[in-house]
Amino acid sequence: MDDKLEMINISKAFASVKANEAVNFTLMHGETHVLIGENGAGKTTLMNILYGLYQQDNGEIRIDGKAVKIKRPSESIAHGIGMVHQHFMLVENLTVAENVVLGQEPRRGVVLDMKKAVETVESLCKQYRFELDPSQRIEDLSVGKQQKVEILKLLYRGADILILDEPTAVLTPSEIDELGKIIRKLNEEGKSVILITHKLREVMAMSDRLTVLRRGRVTGHMRTEDATIEKLVEMMVGKALSLEVEIPEQECGEGVLEVQNLVVRDSRGHNAVNALNFCVHRGEIVGLAGVDGNGQSEFIEALMGLRKVQSGKISILGKDITNKQNRAIIDAGISCVAEDRHKRAVVLEMSLTENTLLGNFAHEPFSRGIWLDYGYATKLTEKLINEFDVRTPSSEVNVMWLSGGNQQKYVVAREISRPHELLVAAQPTRGVDIGAKRFIHEQIVKGRAQGKGVLLVSTELDEILSLSDRIVVIYKGAVAGVLTRAQADERLIGSMMLGDKAEGGK
Amino acid sequence: MGRKTKTQALSAVAPIFSIIVALLASALFVMWAKSMSVSEYFSALRLLLDIIITESLSTPQKFMEVLVYATPLLFCGLAHIICFRCGLFNIGVEGQFIMGMVGGALIGQLQGVPMLLHIALMVLAGIICGGLWGFLPGILKAKRGTNEVVVCIMTNFIAMYISNYIALRSVFADSQHDSSYTIQPHAQLPRFVPTSRLNISVFMAIILAFCVYLLLFWSKRGFQIRAVGLNASAAEAGGVNTTWNIVLALVISGAIAGVGGALQISGVQTRLISMASFPNYGFDAIPVALLCNKNPLACVLVAILFGALRNCSRMFQIEGIPKDIVYVIQAIIIFFVAADLITKHLNKRRRA
Ligand SMILES: Nc1ncnc2c1ncn2[C@@H]1O[C@H](COP(=O)(O)OP(=O)(O)OP(=O)(O)O)[C@@H](O)[C@H]1O
Ligand SMILES: [Mg+2]
């Protein structure tokens, strides 16, 4: 018996939506198995069943050859299954060690034995070569490190099947490499890993075998060495698809966004954005590249009027919008795909239609006088759902029930559909599948052709390189260099992102 | 569409279930009070239901009395709903209601004002006094980040002391009665029949429930208030001024409670009576707002239900059952409603 885990004939439906249909999935000892598929294909659902968050309607789960029933997460933990969710679940103001032991604290009598906790965490870090300081607070850590804490938590609980749901969506390339190494190390220690991702290059680099889901069904599984990217795309989407978007040559026009000497503080009072200067023209896509945590988030918040500007100036088409109210800034012509969709972009407990009203409700035709026009909002929402292929039973469903990627597609659809002069797209394709990614890229390029300015903020260098006319590299809140499309290459940007000042053209 | 109707149906199941369980469990309390044996559980239950049903429905008179109790509960329940929807806990409804009574009682003493105008003025006084009592915690929260619950607890006491000062020591105090002078006849809302205190304020409350529904679910303002309550950061990024909406929600909430207070004076009490402790109109409405799941239309029914319970308390005492059984029933209902809210919250967190 080489199989660690077998999921046989698993089906699960939510009302009319068949999220999983007769899915078979096996996981061997010490392997990394990738689960891929379009947004809404049912990957998260399948893993939530394994983790005990949902019950399957049909089918059987076997671990080490024995049939098991998993009714709640605590039972799956007892079976050695651990899961890192698409959205992290750490306690922000506790330390690394506290988070890791939370729920299973070492005790002396009734009190928490903090020393023992720190020691255990340290030895785990050493064993798996994690560079983490157990006494640091979560809120001070980069996303990549937070993810390691999540993994440590599972290891501390003795998991030997680790489920990672889109762990790479928020990581920078170097963090992804590091994660790859960690996963290898886990395999060497005899642990099995299930990985969900939309990034096919990583699939090829990080896994032993893979399973493809489409609309709830398995459309293929194979050893990674037998797979090619073209083949995977076809299994996922059902047809061949070219991934590159063509970007025609085009002259850019007057300035849309101008940022001068901008200084913005982070929540702890440090200058996160420190004398930032750059501009975006009409018909131009400017990529803002940088390692996460170099002031990008604070800059976007300041741009959108959600964080105070200490000094300096932001203007849109020559109009000063520094420290204006968010609504005035939207009205001045900025649409923004927020980087953290659950925090800034959607209200999970409102329907898609109501979410369409966010950012729009103040104006006709979304409202008249003091009343909202739900009829118009519904019509528009349905149009967005069709155009962007958002998989949802209807526009009346709460956003909460959409899969992560479909939530993202909806947000992008809403923001692009609003009349605007400048599109701020922060991680616009976070969590979306390759087909949707291509579609979103096409829409961005279409906006450029219509003479809109685009500011693209992304930790994915690929995305920046393939779309941007100009690349502004940000380091410690200031511009480390500006490159044109012709000058840009991955290595150069990579080194500029780490602070090596290089002279780029303006 | 199907899914939405299904979840709506489900959200009605939980409150009904909690009412049934509360009644079943309170029958035990009846058994204890009347020292019945275990085998008599069903007679205890029958007695309980009997009292509740006869006391509230057997004659029109009795049902009118239920509505008298239900009216202030409805006003205060609606006040709570506005704030709950905005993610706030307005424990100050109590004080806002009292301030509405104060405003109403003072304006009610004006002489020579024609009836309609007089009542309109009292309502206006209720809006202003209650609204001001909501504005205080609101503005402190907005400008200073003070917790609204703490401030509301203080403003409640201030309201009670103001009311007592007016009823006992001011020029408006009627030293014979430990209360203020009775308001002018012109300031009193007409009653339907001489034998009941029921007056048209009950219809005003029901109309107001419908207005609150329109406000919350069909107006721009209500949309903003709900968005702030569900996800303030996203609301902010969607062009909603969160601080302003928080202040406004507290002011609207206070104004609604204030109107309730003013009409309570105009229709039922006719004068400000000195209080030894809080009259509990606002506090008792908290479970009303929770049980109706923050839905203003459902709030009408729940307020009537709780009004009926309140109306029974005298009968319970006559039957030798401590009137606290009313609170036992309410507490059990709250327990289930809270449990339901917590599981919903956990379910939400599970879903990535
Ligand atoms: N609790 C739920 N209630 C209703 N529908 C749900 C629920 N969970 C998932 N669904 C639906 O089931 C389908 C599969 O969702 P799932 O989250 O498994 O997709 P996914 O493959 O993880 O997609 P993504 O790549 O976008 O994360 C979707 O259409 C989603 O809307
Ligand atoms: Mg998913």
Side-chain angles (χ1 to χ4, degrees):
Chain A
M1 204 67 310
D2 213 346
D3 286 341
K4 176 77 193 157
L5 163 80
E6 293 162 275
M7 297 179 82
I8 303 159
N9 244 327
I10 303 284
S11 297
K12 173 80 190 170
F14 298 104
S16 60
V17 181
K18 294 194 176 113
N20 287 149
E21 270 187 279
V23 172
N24 288 306
F25 178 82
T26 58
L27 182 68
M28 293 191 303
H29 270 291
E31 77 161 342
T32 300
H33 195 136
V34 164
L35 204 53
I36 55 173
E38 285 181 293
N39 296 128
K43 307 177 294 291
T44 300
T45 305
L46 187 67
M47 290 302 109
N48 280 346
I49 290 172
L50 179 58
Y51 190 57
L53 284 175
Y54 297 149
Q55 303 302 301
Q56 68 267 36
D57 302 334
N58 248 318
E60 192 178 85
I61 300 175
R62 289 190 200 153
I63 293 175
D64 296 321
K66 278 197 294 282
V68 293
K69 284 220 159 53
I70 302 173
K71 291 213 196 60
R72 54 185 74 87
S74 59
E75 295 179 8
S76 71
I77 292 166
H79 284 113
I81 299 169
M83 179 157 174
V84 178
H85 295 269
Q86 222 162 335
H87 303 90
F88 296 165
M89 298 188 166
L90 297 170
V91 186
E92 293 260 312
N93 45 12
L94 293 185
T95 65
V96 170
E98 284 165 340
N99 262 286
V100 170
V101 301
L102 195 71
Q104 274 186 30
E105 305 87 350
R107 286 166 190 283
R108 213 175 26 210
V110 287
V111 288
L112 170 67
D113 188 349
M114 207 52 229
K115 213 171 119 225
K116 179 116 178 283
V118 170
E119 273 167 20
T120 326
V121 172
E122 260 170 359
S123 77
L124 272 176
C125 282
K126 207 172 285 158
Q127 188 185 350
Y128 291 95
R129 301 202 199 98
F130 286 11
E131 276 158 34
L132 279 176
D133 173 1
S135 58
Q136 252 189 321
R137 278 178 201 286
I138 296 298
E139 55 196 359
D140 299 338
L141 296 183
S142 70
V143 201
K145 289 205 167 154
Q146 291 189 15
Q147 188 156 55
K148 287 185 194 161
V149 179
E150 288 274 17
I151 296 176
L152 262 188
K153 230 166 105 176
L154 309 189
L155 295 172
Y156 176 78
R157 282 164 180 62
D160 42 28
I161 298 174
L162 289 91
I163 308 167
L164 309 179
D165 194 351
E166 294 193 33
T168 56
V170 289
L171 300 188
T172 57
S174 64
E175 286 172 328
I176 292 176
D177 287 345
E178 226 173 305
L179 179 69
K181 283 187 205 136
I182 289 173
I183 289 178
R184 279 283 158 247
K185 179 81 185 148
L186 290 170
N187 289 156
E188 281 164 28
E189 303 265 329
K191 305 201 180 276
S192 312
V193 177
I194 305 174
L195 190 68
I196 300 179
T197 177
H198 290 292
K199 297 181 183 168
L200 297 183
R201 272 209 276 163
E202 284 152 28
V203 174
M204 307 302 277
M206 286 194 200
S207 65
D208 303 303
R209 288 197 305 155
L210 52 89
T211 295
V212 187
L213 284 179
R214 185 165 91 234
R215 295 183 183 256
R217 293 175 169 280
V218 175
T219 50
H221 53 95
M222 59 178 66
R223 295 157 60 82
T224 308
E225 45 196 41
D226 302 332
T228 62
I229 290 194
E230 290 75 39
K231 215 148 113 191
L232 292 183
V233 171
E234 195 166 344
M235 281 195 284
M236 278 167 70
V237 189
K239 56 174 191 268
L241 194 72
S242 93
L243 297 177
E244 285 298 310
V245 177
E246 220 177 290
I247 303 179
E249 281 291 324
Q250 172 181 327
E251 287 288 305
C252 54
E254 56 173 331
V256 179
L257 170 73
E258 195 159 345
V259 179
Q260 291 167 315
N261 266 320
L262 195 72
V263 178
V264 181
R265 299 218 172 112
D266 64 17
S267 315
R268 278 171 293 153
H270 302 308
N271 284 355
V273 175
N274 212 341
L276 186 69
N277 283 294
F278 75 95
C279 58
V280 179
H281 299 98
R282 281 189 182 284
E284 183 187 40
I285 301 177
V286 173
L288 193 62
V291 177
D292 200 26
N294 273 283
Q296 297 97 319
S297 314
E298 287 81 3
F299 166 66
I300 297 171
E301 291 199 333
L303 175 61
M304 295 312 294
L306 303 171
R307 185 178 280 276
K308 198 166 161 255
V309 172
Q310 297 296 327
S311 65
K313 189 174 158 188
I314 309 174
S315 43
I316 289 290
L317 292 168
K319 198 174 138 204
D320 188 357
I321 56 158
T322 321
N323 282 332
K324 287 269 158 52
Q325 289 253 320
N326 169 268
R327 194 189 294 175
I329 293 173
I330 294 175
D331 292 348
I334 307 189
S335 262
C336 177
V337 177
E339 121 189 86
D340 184 341
R341 63 175 170 253
H342 283 183
K343 182 165 171 219
R344 289 290 191 190
V346 290
V347 178
L348 288 172
E349 287 153 299
M350 281 185 168
S351 68
L352 290 164
T353 300
E354 284 181 297
N355 272 280
T356 303
L357 290 166
L358 277 183
N360 289 324
F361 66 89
H363 302 292
E364 286 194 29
F366 294 92
S367 60
R368 217 159 294 124
I370 62 166
W371 303 111
L372 294 170
D373 186 342
Y374 278 107
Y376 180 78
T378 309
K379 257 199 297 195
L380 178 64
T381 309
E382 274 160 9
K383 192 171 141 236
L384 297 180
I385 290 173
N386 284 332
E387 265 173 33
F388 281 75
D389 188 26
V390 179
R391 306 270 164 89
T392 169
S394 85
S395 60
E396 294 311 308
V397 169
N398 283 358
V399 173
M400 182 165 30
W401 306 119
L402 264 57
S403 79
N406 281 305
Q407 293 175 2
Q408 182 70 20
K409 289 196 289 193
Y410 164 73
V411 171
V412 174
R414 179 185 70 196
E415 295 303 320
I416 288 188
S417 75
R418 177 181 305 135
H420 60 272
E421 302 299 333
L422 175 75
L423 175 70
V424 179
Q427 324 292 352
T429 56
R430 175 174 288 181
V432 307
D433 62 47
I434 42 166
K437 183 167 175 176
R438 188 193 138 91
F439 183 76
I440 290 173
H441 285 174
E442 276 171 0
Q443 297 306 306
I444 290 176
V445 172
K446 207 160 112 194
R448 168 185 181 264
Q450 293 163 352
K452 288 172 178 148
V454 179
L455 177 63
L456 175 69
V457 186
S458 179
T459 49
E460 263 184 71
L461 261 185
D462 282 358
E463 188 162 47
I464 297 254
L465 283 168
S466 67
L467 290 181
S468 311
D469 295 303
R470 255 179 339 128
I471 298 172
V472 174
V473 183
I474 185 172
Y475 175 71
K476 291 202 170 158
V479 174
V482 182
L483 300 169
T484 61
R485 181 194 299 282
Q487 297 165 324
D489 91 77
E490 201 159 332
R491 284 239 310 285
L492 182 57
I493 297 178
S495 73
M496 283 162 78
M497 276 168 45
L498 296 174
D500 304 335
K501 280 253 180 200
E503 277 314 302
K506 267 265 156 178
Chain B
M1 209 63 215
R3 185 176 333 184
K4 185 146 191 180
T5 39
K6 195 171 149 199
T7 46
Q8 270 169 358
L10 268 179
S11 70
V13 168
I16 292 173
F17 172 78
S18 62
I19 292 170
I20 293 174
V21 174
L23 290 174
L24 292 178
S26 328
L28 297 172
F29 187 81
V30 174
M31 277 164 61
W32 165 78
K34 307 217 67 155
S35 8
M36 292 162 132
S37 73
V38 188
S39 56
E40 289 169 298
Y41 174 79
F42 287 101
S43 17
L45 184 62
R46 171 126 30 86
L47 178 65
L48 177 71
L49 295 179
D50 249 12
I51 295 176
I52 295 177
I53 291 168
T54 13
E55 261 311 280
S56 17
L57 294 173
S58 58
T59 65
Q61 204 76 40
K62 293 204 156 139
F63 187 62
M64 281 158 102
E65 206 53 24
V66 167
L67 293 182
V68 170
Y69 282 104
T71 307
L73 281 178
L74 182 50
F75 277 111
C76 293
L78 294 171
H80 281 297
I81 286 175
I82 299 272
C83 279
F84 280 143
R85 288 279 177 180
C86 194
L88 301 164
F89 183 27
N90 181 7
I91 199 154
V93 169
E94 183 74 23
Q96 291 145 12
F97 189 89
I98 295 174
M99 286 313 288
M101 297 206 292
V102 169
L106 293 181
I107 296 294
Q109 313 218 342
L110 290 178
Q111 288 179 358
V113 189
M115 174 141 185
L116 245 106
L117 180 64
H118 207 160
I119 287 169
L121 283 178
M122 284 176 78
V123 168
L124 189 67
I127 291 177
I128 292 172
C129 295
L132 179 69
W133 244 240
F135 176 73
L136 291 176
I139 198 74
L140 282 172
K141 187 182 173 83
K143 294 283 172 214
R144 294 254 164 265
T146 349
N147 185 312
E148 79 275 10
V149 174
V150 176
V151 179
C152 280
I153 291 174
M154 297 196 285
T155 51
N156 280 346
F157 277 100
I158 299 173
M160 182 165 78
Y161 293 137
I162 291 179
S163 169
N164 278 347
Y165 172 79
I166 289 172
L168 296 172
R169 298 198 207 297
S170 70
V171 289
F172 307 101
D174 175 355
S175 50
Q176 320 248 291
H177 290 105
D178 277 2
S179 75
S180 68
Y181 292 109
T182 305
I183 56 175
Q184 300 293 320
H186 268 166
Q188 297 182 17
L189 279 175
R191 296 182 175 175
F192 298 120
V193 291
T195 48
S196 165
R197 297 173 295 165
L198 189 66
N199 56 75
I200 56 172
S201 66
V202 64
F203 291 122
M204 295 180 172
I206 292 171
I207 292 169
L208 187 66
F210 191 67
C211 295
V212 170
Y213 165 77
L214 288 181
L215 169 78
L216 280 177
F217 296 103
W218 295 92
S219 79
K220 283 200 285 199
R221 178 60 55 207
F223 172 74
Q224 295 176 66
I225 287 177
R226 286 187 299 124
V228 170
L230 291 171
N231 183 347
S233 313
E236 194 186 8
V240 179
N241 183 336
T242 46
T243 12
W244 169 231
N245 277 286
I246 285 175
V247 176
L248 207 60
L250 276 157
V251 170
I252 297 175
S253 171
I256 291 176
V259 173
L263 291 179
Q264 187 72 2
I265 293 291
S266 172
V268 177
Q269 236 169 272
T270 68
R271 61 208 166 100
L272 211 52
I273 302 167
S274 82
M275 310 168 188
S277 63
F278 286 116
N280 283 348
Y281 293 108
F283 297 139
D284 286 351
I286 297 171
V288 174
L290 288 177
L291 187 62
C292 69
N293 207 359
K294 301 174 243 169
N295 179 331
L297 298 180
C299 190
V300 177
L301 293 178
V302 177
I304 293 175
L305 178 80
F306 274 55
L309 281 179
R310 189 58 39 82
N311 181 42
C312 294
S313 52
R314 200 165 5 102
M315 200 57 198
F316 280 127
Q317 266 181 322
I318 294 171
E319 285 285 337
I321 304 166
K323 69 170 194 281
D324 304 290
I325 189 169
V326 172
Y327 287 100
V328 173
I329 297 175
Q330 282 183 17
I332 297 174
I333 292 176
I334 295 181
F335 176 82
F336 279 100
V337 171
D340 186 50
L341 287 180
I342 291 168
T343 46
K344 274 200 194 120
H345 180 74
L346 291 180
N347 277 336
K348 192 180 91 192
R349 288 214 37 189
R350 280 170 166 193
R351 168 89 187 142

